Structure formats: C-alpha cells, structure tokens
Amino acid sequence: MGPRQALFTITVRARGATVPPDTTVHIAWSAADEPIFVLSDPTTWKTLDEANLVCAVDRAQPPPEALEALVCELWTAGVTWVKISGTGYDDFEQTLAPVMNDECETFLPQNVDIELVPAVDAGTGE
C-alpha cells in the first residue's frame, strides 16, 4: 500500500482567463460540510489538520492575482458535493462519486478537471 492520497484532486481553470481572484470552493460529504475556501482570503486557507479541503496556495504569500489553475485536494471518504464560484463565471456544482477498486475494496483516487464558464448576461440578449 502506497502513501495516502486525497480521494479527489480537482483542478479549476477559467475558460480563456486566469482563475477569478475571489474564487470560492465549497464541499460537503457524509461526515461534514467543510469550511469554504476563498482564494482572496488567506484566513480560509486550511491545512489537512484543519479541514478536508486543502488547496495548493502559498500560505507565506498574499493571494495570487493571476492564477492559471487552482488545485485542491478533497480528503473525503465517499460521495462529495462540490460548488465553485467566481465573479464573471457561472457557478459550477457537481456531486463527485468515487470509483471502487474491486481488487482491494477501496476507493481509487481521482483527478477531476473543472472549467469555469463565463456567465452570460441574460438581460442583454447576448
């Protein structure tokens, strides 16, 4: 058995741009509704000792202004609901289901790519 891995590793990108500075990541699973991660608010940046949602940010630096991709590990144990929001983009919401390794009767770690789609202003007819 190798080193422990997060059940889900999500990579968030924004179509045609960098990830919005105010991007939020919210997850919930059977054991908890995890604290929300806000890219622009370092007080929400948790370690694995503090939460099961851990995003790859440099805690010694200010929030990034032009991030190509936000990578977060979801240390959950089963079906996990994910919601990602950012100014100028439609909210992304999905329930991630783990894949079972039949040989070991354990869940297989998964990488999930998420692309935020620009919001369309319904009032302009565009």
Side-chain angles (χ1 to χ4, degrees), residues 98-122:
V99 174
M100 180 66 80
N101 178 343
D102 293 328
E103 293 176 13
C104 301
E105 295 187 4
T106 59
F107 292 129
L108 293 171
Q110 295 178 58
N111 293 316
V112 179
D113 291 322
I114 296 169
E115 182 179 60
L116 298 178
V117 178
V120 176
D121 184 353

Side-chain angles (χ1 to χ4, degrees), residues 29-126:
W29 58 297
S30 62
D33 193 17
E34 295 296 325
I36 296 173
F37 170 90
V38 181
L39 184 57
S40 60
D41 182 1
T43 64
T44 68
W45 301 357
K46 306 297 184 194
T47 65
L48 190 53
D49 291 332
E50 301 168 313
N52 291 326
L53 168 61
V54 180
C55 296
V57 288
D58 186 344
R59 296 171 66 100
Q61 298 294 320
E65 291 292 322
L67 191 63
E68 291 296 321
L70 175 64
V71 178
C72 300
E73 294 179 337
L74 286 53
W75 290 86
T76 58
V79 173
T80 304
W81 172 81
V82 178
K83 181 176 181 181
I84 302 169
S85 304
T87 298
Y89 290 84
D90 288 336
D91 288 352
F92 172 90
E93 191 171 340
Q94 184 175 341
T95 300
L96 304 176
V99 174
M100 180 66 80
N101 178 343
D102 293 328
E103 293 176 13
C104 301
E105 295 187 4
T106 59
F107 292 129
L108 293 171
Q110 295 178 58
N111 293 316
V112 179
D113 291 322
I114 296 169
E115 182 179 60
L116 298 178
V117 178
V120 176
D121 184 353
T124 63
E126 294 181 22

Side-chain angles (χ1 to χ4, degrees), residues 7-24:
L7 184 57
F8 299 103
T9 300
I10 61 173
T11 302
V12 180
R13 292 184 175 83
R15 183 178 294 170
T18 57
V19 176
D22 65 346
T23 296
T24 63

